[in-house]
Amino acid sequence: MTYPTVSKPYGFRPINLIGGQPYAGSTRMFKIASGYNTNIFYGDPVKILRDSNSMLPIDGTIVVQDKSWFGAGMTTQSAPPYTIGVFMGCSYTNPYTKQKTFSQYYPAGVVADDIQAYVVDDPDALFKVVFVNNVPTYYDDPFNAAGTTPGAVGLQYVGRNLLVAVNAGDTNTGNSAYGVADVYNPLFIVQQPAMPVRVVDVVPETATSAGFVELIVKWNMPAICLVGETGVTWGGGHEYYWPGSTGSIIL
């Protein structure tokens, strides 16, 4: 059987649970605040909105996860990085037609009091995702991984941690354009234990002569690392693994 060429990333697609556990494809509903002004696409990771100082939840709503997964340190907590899960669509009452609407993606700025997101929040979930060539704002900068050009890796990537490549999705299809990426700068490779996802397998069906384009990943636990001379920083992982915080102290 001939498989189609993977030409671009499509976000995180849930396929199974780790260890062969039964997987029902279930989701949990989370609220999106009325008027939230950022698109959330099918396959985008999302996080709980938290106070930038205390890191405590503000109102139980979720927002798109826009970090490649560093940035919530003990000295600067402006961007709590932990994902709650992956967005799988939403529903809301259309403010113009007054009809219930089900959407592949959340369009920025919807004004409605009943916006509900469907999120795969199981921390044991496995996701298929595209490995992309990292295009950071600084050479191999793990704070800002991005890129939509598929890359390819070998089997040595099984068991390795990777960053999330943050890209804007497609409003025509409603699909995400997130992928996963690596860093090659030795200054950042040492921080690999704090990266958010772990490769557990590869997808052989779409491999090319260069290697495997699609990978199977799971969320890691949040991890601690040193960032240059700025002190201790928590790297990203799954929200349910994170013990939480109060004030400016990580518990």
Side-chain angles (χ1 to χ4, degrees):
M1 178 178 179
T2 301
Y3 288 86
T5 300
V6 179
S7 60
K8 59 184 178 182
Y10 45 71
F12 291 78
R13 298 290 174 89
I15 61 167
N16 209 335
L17 297 183
I18 195 167
Q21 301 174 76
Y23 176 61
S26 62
T27 58
R28 187 178 304 280
M29 297 177 73
F30 288 90
K31 185 175 177 59
I32 299 175
S34 177
Y36 176 58
N37 64 354
T38 303
N39 293 329
I40 309 178
F41 294 93
Y42 186 93
D44 280 355
V46 290
K47 62 184 179 181
I48 293 175
L49 180 63
R50 292 180 174 272
D51 180 86
S52 61
N53 293 313
S54 70
M55 296 181 73
L56 294 174
I58 294 175
D59 56 7
T61 63
I62 60 167
V63 296
V64 68
Q65 176 55 274
D66 58 357
K67 300 299 175 186
S68 293
W69 269 288
F70 293 100
M74 297 170 74
T75 56
T76 172
Q77 301 184 61
S78 61
Y82 315 118
T83 182
I84 191 65
V86 173
F87 180 87
M88 295 279 106
C90 65
S91 65
Y92 56 89
T93 299
N94 187 298
Y96 303 105
T97 65
K98 311 303 181 186
Q99 301 297 312
K100 191 74 168 182
T101 298
F102 294 87
S103 179
Q104 179 88 344
Y105 81 106
Y106 167 77
V110 170
V111 177
D113 293 329
D114 62 344
I115 309 172
Q116 295 284 345
Y118 302 90
V119 177
V120 175
D121 70 333
D122 193 327
D124 286 343
L126 299 180
F127 297 88
K128 185 168 68 170
V129 65
V130 175
F131 181 87
V132 299
N133 295 322
N134 191 2
V135 185
T137 55
Y138 170 73
Y139 174 63
D140 284 337
D141 177 5
F143 291 87
N144 298 288
T148 57
T149 301
V153 298
L155 281 173
Q156 72 271 22
Y157 270 71
V158 174
R160 187 165 183 163
N161 293 339
L162 296 176
L163 298 164
V164 172
V166 177
N167 304 297
D170 186 341
T171 56
N172 292 317
T173 64
N175 291 334
S176 173
Y178 276 48
V180 291
D182 200 1
V183 294
Y184 305 98
N185 188 327
L187 293 176
F188 294 124
I189 288 176
V190 296
Q191 296 168 357
Q192 195 204 70
M195 294 179 184
V197 296
R198 171 73 56 87
V199 180
V200 300
D201 206 349
V202 297
V203 179
E205 291 84 359
T206 52
T208 68
S209 59
F212 300 97
V213 179
E214 294 179 299
L215 306 175
I216 308 299
V217 302
K218 69 173 292 291
W219 298 110
N220 286 328
M221 294 183 68
I224 197 166
C225 66
L226 291 176
V227 180
E229 299 178 356
T230 62
V232 175
T233 290
W234 283 81
H238 197 284
E239 170 82 32
Y240 291 157
Y241 291 138
W242 180 45
S245 69
T246 179
S248 60
I249 302 173
I250 303 294
L251 297 179

